Amino acid sequence: MTRRKTETEQKGESRMEQDIKLTKLAKCAGCGAKVGAGVLSQLLEGLPVRRDENLLVGFDRSDDASVYRISPELALVQTVDFFPPIADDPYTYGAIAAANALSDVYAMGGEPKLALNVMAVPEDMPKEVVHQILRGGYEEVYEAGAMITGGHSILDPEPKYGLAVTGFVHPDRVITNSGAKPGDVLLLTKPVGIGVLTAAMKGDLADEETRAYAYSLMMTLNRAARDCMVKYRVHACTDVTGFGVLGHLLEMAQGSGVEIHLSLSGVQFLPQSVAFARMGLLPEGMYRNRAFAESAVDLGDVPMEYQDLLFDPQTSGGLCIAVDPNDAPALLSELEGAVPAAQRIGVVAEYRGGKRIFLSAAPRPAGNVFSAALA
């Protein structure tokens, strides 16, 4: 668990928050600042892709990290992730950014080992604020069993922080987001709606209990979820971050050549997020995600506020796991109590052409692929 701060530290950081509001220095918060998936694919289009038999996963696939085999028993997993402040408390911001970066390695089935700081700070930012951001990152990385060994920093009017992370995985046990098979059950390990709550918190609209829970959730590593899933026949996995639930699942469906059926009744949403979404309090990234994925999604009769939450950009979200249906009950049982919210949200099916994702407000009647796989 993340180390609890002492009362003296909390008082000191409270004074820092009064002096400097980190979230006011940034236009977007957390993964809401992520370049949209549609724009990103256009930016990468036409770039030459070098072929190497040891490069198991590269940038030409919409995956969470790259994987390079260095021996028959060992492969490197590498990723980089950083973003502007999502919390005014610098320690909390640093810890969330670190947890978010580490998550990419966990999603590939890997174990993080080394990390490098990536940081941009305003020239006039107090030294103690910078120190607390770094300390939050360091302690989160150490909790993961990894080490920060250096990094790079630049001056920038808008603060940004994150990590370049290197981990290890057995070459035969790499989990990508493109291996889902018809019949697989989809499990999710954290509740949804953090982008909407972040927008509310930035406007001082969320209550303190909701705020504290949201920060705690984002600081929770996906280590336990990874440790559980590698024991079972998991065919695909992705961490749910800036592209939202539907954006990341669309990448999984396209990469795997399948379609996905989701049940709204299986998804756990964060306290107050539904009410805020209903009010139209939505982050800019939600609109980018909707523009990218909506044409490939059959939204059925799902109310607009729930649609918005499924397009909502998540910061340090959970793992979405496509597991063999015979292993799904055991994995779900093991995840319960080990992760913030073990949810059975849907099923993978053979692609029939047209839409890639089908969303229903309630499970389908017995006898169809959705209810049969979730039974």
Side-chain angles (χ1 to χ4, degrees):
M1 298 296 292
T2 302
R3 188 184 73 82
R4 292 181 180 274
K5 290 174 279 186
T6 67
E7 185 176 350
T8 300
E9 289 172 328
Q10 290 173 345
K11 288 180 179 178
E13 288 163 16
S14 178
R15 286 193 295 270
M16 279 192 285
E17 285 186 49
Q18 293 171 9
D19 294 336
I20 182 169
K21 293 285 188 182
L22 290 176
T23 57
K24 303 300 183 185
L25 300 178
K27 180 182 178 182
C28 298
C31 286
K34 193 170 183 177
V35 175
V39 175
L40 185 60
S41 63
Q42 293 173 12
L43 295 175
L44 295 173
E45 188 176 358
L47 290 178
V49 178
R50 290 195 61 180
R51 300 300 175 185
D52 185 324
E53 63 180 11
N54 290 312
L55 182 62
L56 305 181
V57 182
F59 81 86
D60 54 322
R61 292 164 58 178
S62 300
D63 233 305
D64 296 297
S66 64
V67 183
Y68 190 87
R69 179 174 52 213
I70 58 176
S71 79
E73 302 294 324
L74 190 67
L76 286 176
V77 184
Q78 291 190 309
T79 186
V80 60
D81 209 314
F82 64 99
F83 50 60
I86 195 164
D88 288 320
D89 173 23
Y91 177 95
T92 301
Y93 165 42
I96 292 171
N100 185 76
L102 292 161
S103 185
D104 287 340
V105 175
Y106 291 132
M108 307 295 290
E111 295 183 78
K113 290 299 177 184
L114 300 173
L116 299 171
N117 287 316
V118 179
M119 188 174 220
V121 294
E123 192 168 7
D124 59 351
M125 179 170 281
K127 176 183 176 181
E128 183 59 23
V129 172
V130 177
H131 176 78
Q132 289 299 324
I133 294 172
L134 292 172
R135 188 169 72 89
Y138 271 76
E139 294 193 0
E140 197 78 8
V141 169
Y142 294 156
E143 182 186 344
M147 299 180 292
I148 292 181
T149 57
H152 185 67
S153 59
I154 63 169
L155 297 175
D156 191 325
E158 182 177 276
K160 302 171 186 70
Y161 176 66
L163 300 172
V165 185
T166 298
F168 299 116
V169 68
H170 192 287
D172 297 334
R173 301 191 190 102
V174 177
I175 302 173
T176 71
N177 70 356
S178 57
K181 299 180 179 182
D184 282 352
V185 173
L186 291 172
L187 306 179
L188 183 61
T189 65
K190 287 187 181 182
V192 175
I194 210 73
V196 168
L197 281 190
T198 299
M201 290 188 289
K202 196 169 183 178
D204 295 324
L205 297 176
D207 62 50
E208 191 55 40
E209 183 180 358
T210 299
R211 184 187 297 265
Y213 178 64
Y215 289 150
S216 174
L217 187 70
M218 289 186 282
M219 292 168 69
T220 300
L221 294 170
N222 280 323
R223 181 180 186 175
R226 178 266 175 201
D227 290 348
C228 291
M229 77 171 178
V230 295
K231 302 175 187 177
Y232 299 92
R233 287 173 291 178
V234 168
H235 299 136
C237 180
T238 183
D239 65 332
V240 178
T241 54
F243 299 155
V245 172
L246 291 175
H248 285 287
L249 284 183
L250 176 57
E251 290 186 333
M252 181 183 288
Q254 291 173 329
S256 303
V258 298
E259 65 183 44
I260 288 173
H261 298 259
L262 295 183
S263 172
L264 189 67
S265 63
V267 181
Q268 181 176 325
F269 296 97
L270 282 161
Q272 296 192 338
S273 65
V274 177
F276 287 131
R278 193 173 289 130
M279 291 165 55
L281 191 60
L282 303 168
E284 184 179 338
M286 190 286 299
Y287 297 99
R288 291 196 296 269
N289 292 340
R290 185 182 278 273
F292 162 64
E294 186 174 27
S295 63
V297 181
D298 183 338
L299 294 164
D301 57 353
V302 170
M304 182 62 71
E305 61 267 27
Y306 291 104
Q307 295 180 29
D308 290 339
L309 286 166
L310 292 172
F311 286 115
D312 182 43
Q314 306 299 288
T315 298
S316 191
L319 298 187
C320 191
I321 303 165
V323 59
D324 186 283
N326 293 317
D327 284 359
L331 176 53
L332 181 62
S333 178
E334 187 165 348
L335 288 170
E336 290 172 348
V339 301
Q343 306 151 76
R344 188 171 54 179
I345 65 170
V347 68
V348 178
E350 290 185 10
Y351 182 51
R352 300 167 294 180
K355 305 286 187 180
R356 286 285 184 177
I357 299 177
F358 297 83
L359 187 59
S360 63
R364 295 185 179 186
N368 63 54
V369 64
F370 186 87
S371 58
L374 294 189

